[in-house]
């Protein structure tokens, strides 16, 4: 995918839309995550005690990537 930077695509393993999306990491800046045993966009829900370890790991990875993108963008502005 040309000109795509800093993207994270998550798919629930049970998500019926998953088949039409990107399911493998394509580069250092375009990551795909498949979260086992869940449906559509569960990683975007609020955390709760029923979250699996896979959901928690996906959210942690997403949080780390967003923080990294913010730092990179700020540094590109000289901040």
């Amino acid at each position: 995918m040309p000109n795509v930077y800093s993207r994270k695509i998550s798919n629930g393993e049970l998500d019926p839309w998953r088949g039409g999306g990107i399911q493998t990491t394509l580069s250092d800046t375009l990551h795909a995550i498949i979260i086992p045993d869940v449906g559509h966009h569960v990683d975007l829900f609020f955390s709760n005690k029923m979250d699996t370890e896979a959901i928690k790991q996906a959210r942690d990875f997403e949080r780390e990537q967003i923080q990294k993108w913010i730092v990179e963008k700020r540094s590109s502005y000289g901040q």
Side-chain angles (χ1 to χ4, degrees), residues 8-70:
K8 184 279 316 165
I9 297 150
S10 61
N11 293 287
E13 182 181 40
L14 306 177
D15 184 351
W17 299 106
R18 181 179 134 204
I22 296 171
Q23 298 185 49
T24 58
T25 295
L26 300 178
S27 73
D28 290 343
T29 60
L30 182 57
H31 299 273
I33 301 170
I34 306 295
I35 307 170
D37 302 319
V38 299
H40 187 64
H41 67 60
V42 71
D43 55 320
L44 302 178
F45 294 166
F46 288 106
S47 300
N48 72 61
K49 63 184 178 183
M50 302 289 287
D51 288 343
T52 66
E53 192 58 36
I55 296 168
K56 293 174 188 176
Q57 289 174 355
R59 287 188 186 127
D60 288 344
F61 177 77
E62 293 162 359
R63 191 176 304 108
E64 290 167 7
Q65 290 300 302
I66 292 167
Q67 290 170 342
K68 178 182 167 189
W69 300 336
I70 290 169

